[in-house]
Amino acid sequence: MQEMANLCAEIRACQKCDLGRGRTNAVPGEGPVPARIMFIGEGPGYHEDQQGRPFVGAAGQYLSELLGRIGLRREDVYITNVVKCRPPRNRDPLPEEIEACQPYLDRQIALVQPAIIVTLGRYSMARYFPGQSISRIHGVPKYVNGIWCFPMFHPAAGLHQPRYRTMIEEDFQKLAKLLKDLERAPKAEEESSPPTPPPAQQLSLF
Ligand code: SF4
Ligand code: URA
């Protein structure tokens, strides 16, 4: 898709925040456009920065495995991050970096037009579930402006901690069920969804 290709080229040349100076490669994201499901992680790590592709390290391998278990391939979903350049030593992205990068994510969402957005970890969750705790709300989707937003723990959390692994794998089963329900009755799903939030709240969510 030409518009997405142009957007990714823009991201690769971006210097809108300090992360642009430290990167090897920007990591715009990849996957089909449009796509039914979009995954939003936190930011590139070492391997992603080296290769310019999202989720290619250990967490990425686990993500591919999780997708496989519910009958999806990596190539079926769009995958990106809240910030497109690697924070030094994999530190958390700063609020000003997230804000500088947000317009790219907004444009990607508009182009991908996902039915479901899966947020991986706290930073991508904050956009749709401000002020909420991931331990409380993981695995419970919320319908926001025509998109089902599905909060999950970051797959990296499951790599070394069996407790998280179990929760992540259960949440993936819930995701599979949501997908199936949407395929079966997309109209009914929309009708039975909660009313859309008032305009002020919508602005803060998107
Ligand atoms: Fe630009 Fe985003 Fe990279 Fe910052 S993180 S330089 S805003 S692409
Ligand atoms: N972790 C992320 O949040 N994003 C990636 O692309 C890789 C690891």
Side-chain angles (χ1 to χ4, degrees), residues 93-203:
L94 300 172
E96 57 266 34
E97 294 160 353
I98 294 172
E99 198 187 324
C101 216
Q102 176 152 327
Y104 296 128
L105 185 56
D106 294 341
R107 287 161 65 190
Q108 287 176 312
I109 294 169
L111 292 173
V112 174
Q113 294 181 273
I116 302 173
I117 287 179
V118 180
T119 62
L120 300 173
R122 282 178 296 145
Y123 290 92
S124 60
M125 183 189 89
R127 175 190 176 100
Y128 300 102
F129 304 89
Q132 306 240 42
S133 144
I134 189 155
S135 311
R136 282 246 207 99
I137 66 160
H138 71 93
V140 183
K142 180 168 102 175
Y143 195 66
V144 186
N145 289 1
I147 303 177
W148 283 98
C149 299
F150 199 108
M152 283 202 201
F153 288 107
H154 195 285
L159 283 180
H160 309 293
Q161 293 159 283
R163 198 169 69 86
Y164 285 105
R165 215 177 166 89
T166 307
M167 289 192 279
I168 291 169
E169 290 170 13
E170 285 168 0
D171 288 350
F172 258 78
Q173 293 304 324
K174 290 182 198 159
L175 174 63
K177 181 168 184 311
L178 176 63
L179 256 178
K180 221 186 238 168
D181 290 348
L182 289 180
E183 267 156 32
R184 223 180 277 134
K187 284 267 152 33
E189 273 297 332
E190 280 167 32
E191 278 155 21
S192 69
S193 65
T196 40
Q201 202 182 339
Q202 281 179 17
L203 285 176

Side-chain angles (χ1 to χ4, degrees), residues 27 41-45 48 53-56 59 81 154:
V27 180
E42 184 170 314
E48 290 77 22
R53 297 181 54 207
F55 282 96
V56 290
N81 284 300
H154 195 285

Side-chain angles (χ1 to χ4, degrees), residues 31-32 52 61 65 71 74 89 103-104 122 155 166 188 205:
Q61 272 177 27
E65 186 188 318
R74 238 189 105 97
R89 295 173 307 279
Y104 296 128
R122 282 178 296 145
T166 307
L205 292 172

Side-chain angles (χ1 to χ4, degrees), residues 33-71:
V33 181
R36 269 185 87 60
I37 315 182
M38 183 169 185
F39 285 82
I40 306 177
E42 184 170 314
Y46 173 81
H47 294 282
E48 290 77 22
D49 174 72
Q50 289 292 308
Q51 297 180 38
R53 297 181 54 207
F55 282 96
V56 290
Q61 272 177 27
Y62 183 39
L63 177 62
S64 300
E65 186 188 318
L66 289 163
L67 287 169
R69 287 198 209 168
I70 61 165

